[in-house]
């Protein structure tokens, strides 16, 4: 019984810490060139992400006259 309680406590604690430090963890993971390259490549295979990125990159800006 105590073993199960400790296991669930560890899972809850790791989930809490992962959520609390999610941006720090993401920066550490994306600091690795191989992981960053694979994340960018896989996200560009998603049509919704690809369309949003291309729209924002190649948006024509007109200056007001």
């Amino acid at each position: 019984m105590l073993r199960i309680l400790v296991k669930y406590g560890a899972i809850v604690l790791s989930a809490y810490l992962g959520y609390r430090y999610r941006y720090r963890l993401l920066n550490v993971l994306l600091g690795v060139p191989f992981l960053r390259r694979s994340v960018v490549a896989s996200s560009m295979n998603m049509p919704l992400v690809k369309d949003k990125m291309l729209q924002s990159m190649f948006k024509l800006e007109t200056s007001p006259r």
Side-chain angles (χ1 to χ4, degrees):
M1 181 68 183
L2 184 62
R3 190 176 191 169
I4 294 171
L5 194 60
V6 169
K7 182 189 266 187
Y8 285 131
I11 291 171
V12 169
L13 181 66
S14 64
Y16 170 73
L17 290 175
Y19 179 75
R20 183 171 180 186
Y21 297 111
R22 62 189 179 271
Y23 297 115
R24 191 174 293 184
L25 290 171
L26 193 60
N27 282 336
V28 168
L29 289 176
L30 292 179
V32 179
F34 172 74
L35 291 177
R36 182 176 52 238
R37 199 174 314 124
S38 62
V39 167
V40 170
S42 65
S43 66
M44 290 305 279
N45 286 332
M46 296 180 208
L48 182 69
V49 175
K50 186 176 181 179
D51 292 341
K52 288 278 189 183
M53 290 289 290
L54 291 177
Q55 282 177 2
S56 68
M57 287 171 45
F58 298 114
K59 170 172 64 170
L60 292 176
E61 303 235 358
T62 59
S63 59
R65 292 182 187 214

